[in-house]
Amino acid sequence: MFIVHVFITVKPGDVDDFIEATVANAKASVQEPGIIRFDVLQESDRPDHFLLVEVYRTKEDPARHKETDHYKRWKESVAEMMAVPRTKQIYTPLFPGEEAWD
């Protein structure tokens, strides 16, 4: 199991367009066999800050995800919307264990 948190800050005028593009990508992403979850979260106090929580079955699945048409469309469409380059952090689940995620 492989969990990725992606931290994104969007230019204030692009928030609505970013949400639309990112939700469309998330809806397509959860259809991939290697993705267990794909959450799109917006900070309550800073609406231009977002967190994507991506839960993959294996370490190889993120690379497969990046080869999909919907990911490529998303990456291109939101590139100019980001105020700063996005960052990510990788996590390993401790509790609940992997068996609880299916």
Side-chain angles (χ1 to χ4, degrees):
M1 187 168 224
F2 196 72
I3 300 173
V4 180
H5 285 190
V6 180
F7 303 92
I8 302 170
T9 302
V10 175
K11 295 173 185 172
D14 291 325
V15 168
D16 291 339
D17 290 338
F18 177 82
I19 291 170
E20 182 179 344
T22 304
V23 168
N25 178 58
K27 286 180 179 180
S29 297
V30 295
Q31 302 304 312
E32 296 174 43
I35 294 183
I36 298 171
R37 282 185 78 112
F38 198 109
D39 299 345
V40 179
L41 306 173
Q42 182 179 31
E43 275 193 42
S44 299
D45 296 338
R46 297 184 300 173
D48 56 335
H49 285 69
F50 295 86
L51 170 64
L52 307 182
V53 179
E54 306 171 18
V55 181
Y56 297 94
R57 294 187 185 284
T58 71
K59 289 182 180 182
E60 293 74 35
D61 288 318
R64 284 191 271 276
H65 168 63
K66 290 179 181 176
E67 293 301 317
T68 63
D69 289 338
H70 59 268
Y71 172 80
K72 291 175 184 177
R73 272 192 309 276
W74 174 81
K75 183 179 177 185
E76 184 175 325
S77 70
V78 302
E80 294 300 317
M81 297 179 195
M82 295 187 192
V84 296
R86 67 188 189 273
T87 60
K88 70 178 180 181
Q89 196 68 42
I90 309 296
Y91 295 89
T92 301
L94 301 178
F95 182 85
E98 288 187 34
E99 67 281 351
W101 286 84
D102 283 331

